[in-house]
Amino acid sequence: MSRKTDVLRIKKAKSFGGEISVPGDKSISHRAVMLAAISNGPCRVDGFLPSNDCLSTVGAIRALGIQVDILDEDKYGPYRLMVHGRGGKFTPPKEDIDCGISGTTMRLLSGILAGQKFISALVGDESLSQRPMQRIIEPLKLMGCEIIASGKNNSAPLTIHGADLESVRYELPIASAQVKSAIILAGLFAKGKTTVVEPLQTRDHTEKMLDFFQVKTIRTNDEISIDGGQVLESRDIIVPGDISSAAFWFVSAAAFSGSKLTVKNVGLNPSRNGILKILTRMGANVSESIDTSGNGEEIGNVSIEGVGLKGIEIDGDIVPNIIDEIPIIAVAGALAEGKTVIKDAAELRVKESDRISAVAGNLRAMGADVKETDDGMVINGGKPLVGANIDSYGDHRIAMAFSVAGLFAEGETVINNPECIAVSYPNFEVHLKELLSPNKRGLDEPITVIRSLSVEDDKN
Ligand code: S3P
């Protein structure tokens, strides 16, 4: 017996650059659907990211009795939704709610469900079922709901017995926007003022979007407080392009001598734009222009010119800001001259894959000099990369980071299981082809990227 699997074959790029708009921000798309659902009326969401992760949130919200209409469903074009908010009223779900591979869906939704007076069960795929959930279970239980985690080490499936919630003051043991957001959302349904203290600033999309929906959160230094019982006023939301998706092109351009790239309409929220600071420190020519501020989120254009990169040390406060970009930053480190040290990033071990080990192992397979540490890695950059067989570990950011590495490697780089890319960037391949052919010779023409089927022996 044999079975066919899809692979993405990448060859060394001859040119790179152009102008592009990346699809909608994943974090903001999740929040747009959830907050619109608890608002008091219909909300249009323009630029929603139709990726597997965000579609898990749409499915979950629909399972709770909220009508979500897809207005434009061109997967690669403008994508708009209409979410019919019911002011925080939900219908008890008839079945388990499937969160797919999406940690954001499971953790943020748990915060909302903690305050609903019914029982709901949240399930996820194999990867999500291994991810830590105690981090949300502890604070939500302190607020008065019951959560039973039936996976290993208190992981999913989760059964949530919603209840009348009491407010808490909770100091986050780890810097996590998902945990912060779960507590803030539960706080909306709690009696009194709920306060979250974060050790380091994490992305603040939940606070900004609540503010846009006329719900007040107060930030003083490292504390965020919300009064329970506030009603979200329905309104339309614009989702900016995802800077975490743009990061793959930023690094490609920065490391490609002579390239010129502009990414338009990308989210430039200061709690997410650390990648631009990192690339500037590595020597790239980066310019930003903030054009509009939609729903309180900064949006603008970023231009980057390719130069030689140099290694840097990355640790401390900036780490939560760039947590999703570290795989591609590590690729930049391998392409840079000198040493790049990444520290304080142990959280990467509990993402969709163990990203420290996945990045270090794959970079080594490509000939890079990389040493894995408990909370990061040390990369002695500048060694020539060679094409290799890359295991994506079913992790979108690993698959995309190594597609970029393949553009700089001699020979062919084969990305296995590239379908996981659809978790955050469904049209990644289309955009990659466009950026590799600045004269736009036609997207169907295979230039450097070839998607092919390989036949594997089935050993069973
Ligand atoms: C996210 C927060 C981050 C990030 C994830 C999305 C969010 O996770 O890695 O991709 O939308 O809040 P943590 O909050 O667990 O660090």
Side-chain angles (χ1 to χ4, degrees):
M1 280 282 279
S2 65
R3 122 185 112 84
K4 284 179 173 175
T5 53
D6 233 357
V7 294
L8 187 57
R9 297 177 185 279
I10 311 273
K11 293 214 177 103
K12 191 165 182 168
K14 296 190 182 70
S15 63
F16 187 89
E19 194 175 287
I20 205 155
S21 296
V22 289
D25 186 280
K26 181 160 86 66
S27 291
I28 298 177
S29 294
H30 283 296
R31 287 160 173 80
V33 172
M34 291 191 205
L35 295 196
I38 54 178
S39 80
N40 62 0
C43 308
R44 209 180 65 200
V45 183
D46 276 13
F48 173 80
L49 171 68
S51 74
N52 293 351
D53 238 35
C54 299
L55 292 172
S56 290
T57 289
V58 170
I61 287 297
R62 281 179 171 156
L64 290 161
I66 303 292
Q67 186 185 333
V68 181
D69 307 324
I70 293 175
L71 303 178
D72 294 300
E73 57 179 322
D74 173 2
K75 213 171 164 193
Y76 299 151
Y79 205 96
R80 290 187 308 156
L81 303 177
M82 184 68 86
V83 182
H84 299 265
R86 292 178 57 201
K89 289 193 196 71
F90 293 107
T91 311
K94 293 193 184 74
E95 289 169 357
D96 294 354
I97 296 176
D98 186 1
C99 301
I101 193 175
S102 173
T104 314
T105 309
M106 186 169 278
R107 296 195 178 114
L108 268 60
L109 198 60
S110 296
I112 293 174
L113 292 173
Q116 312 305 317
K117 298 251 204 47
F118 52 74
I119 300 173
S120 40
L122 300 182
V123 296
D125 72 356
E126 207 187 314
S127 152
L128 182 55
S129 304
Q130 287 169 21
R131 294 183 67 188
M133 289 297 149
Q134 186 56 27
R135 52 182 62 190
I136 51 148
I137 294 174
E138 180 180 292
L140 296 177
K141 274 185 159 179
L142 283 174
M143 295 177 83
C145 74
E146 183 54 50
I147 303 185
I148 296 157
S150 36
K152 252 197 221 154
N153 303 323
N154 280 345
S155 58
L158 304 180
T159 307
I160 302 176
H161 296 249
D164 285 328
L165 299 180
E166 298 294 333
S167 52
V168 276
R169 177 186 159 81
Y170 190 78
E171 289 190 26
L172 296 177
I174 34 150
S176 164
Q178 294 183 354
V179 181
K180 170 178 69 173
S181 301
I183 301 168
I184 291 175
L185 292 173
L188 252 184
F189 296 96
K191 247 190 278 153
K193 186 189 293 300
T194 292
T195 300
V196 188
V197 187
E198 53 179 2
L200 295 175
Q201 155 109 57
T202 62
R203 62 192 70 189
D204 62 359
H205 303 303
T206 303
E207 300 90 303
K208 284 200 156 142
M209 200 178 288
L210 280 170
D211 193 50
F212 179 66
F213 277 103
Q214 309 283 296
V215 164
K216 250 187 146 167
T217 57
I218 296 165
R219 180 165 198 122
T220 40
N221 303 321
D222 54 355
E223 293 190 10
I224 304 108
S225 298
I226 183 164
D227 283 323
Q230 300 182 68
V231 177
L232 280 72
E233 288 294 333
S234 72
R235 56 205 54 222
D236 298 340
I237 302 166
I238 296 170
V239 181
D242 196 327
I243 192 166
S244 299
S245 298
F248 298 103
W249 313 137
F250 293 158
V251 168
S252 308
F256 204 106
S257 267
S259 72
K260 283 193 171 139
L261 169 81
T262 298
V263 180
K264 298 182 85 177
N265 298 322
V266 63
L268 293 171
N269 180 319
S271 66
R272 288 284 298 286
N273 66 1
I275 177 69
L276 299 176
K277 300 194 177 101
I278 294 285
L279 288 176
T280 304
R281 281 177 57 208
M282 292 182 88
N285 261 335
V286 179
S287 57
E288 293 175 63
S289 65
I290 297 185
D291 292 342
T292 45
S293 172
N295 359 293
E297 293 280 353
E298 294 81 349
I299 304 178
N301 299 342
V302 175
S303 296
I304 298 201
E305 285 179 7
V307 286
L309 296 177
K310 59 177 196 296
I312 56 166
E313 291 221 358
I314 300 168
D315 57 17
D317 296 11
I318 197 161
V319 171
N321 187 310
I322 53 160
I323 195 73
D324 292 338
E325 287 69 78
I326 291 179
I328 188 63
I329 289 171
V331 170
L335 297 171
E337 286 303 323
K339 196 195 264 191
T340 292
V341 182
I342 301 171
K343 290 186 200 159
D344 300 329
E347 269 297 297
L348 290 180
R349 295 211 180 266
V350 291
K351 295 292 179 190
E352 286 87 326
S353 69
D354 175 342
R355 287 184 176 159
I356 294 179
S357 128
V359 167
N362 281 328
L363 276 179
R364 272 198 298 267
M366 295 184 80
D369 176 352
V370 185
K371 203 172 108 237
E372 190 177 324
T373 60
D374 288 348
D375 65 348
M377 63 194 86
V378 179
I379 305 161
N380 285 306
K383 281 190 120 196
L385 297 185
V386 285
N389 200 26
I390 298 297
D391 191 341
S392 65
Y393 297 92
D395 183 334
H396 53 133
R397 300 213 194 272
I398 301 299
M400 290 187 278
F402 283 88
S403 301
V404 170
L407 302 178
F408 295 87
E410 287 305 330
E412 189 178 70
T413 299
V414 180
I415 312 287
N416 290 285
N417 302 318
E419 61 283 353
C420 60
I421 290 172
V423 160
S424 64
Y425 199 159
N427 48 343
F428 175 79
E429 243 179 274
V430 177
H431 283 179
L432 176 53
K433 285 179 188 168
E434 276 183 32
L435 292 166
L436 289 171
S437 57
N439 55 0
K440 303 282 179 294
R441 277 180 288 160
L443 299 184
D444 294 335
E445 186 186 352
I447 303 154
T448 313
V449 187
I450 304 165
R451 168 80 79 139
S452 71
L453 292 174
S454 70
V455 179
E456 277 185 359
D457 281 336
D458 193 341
K459 293 180 184 80
N460 302 314

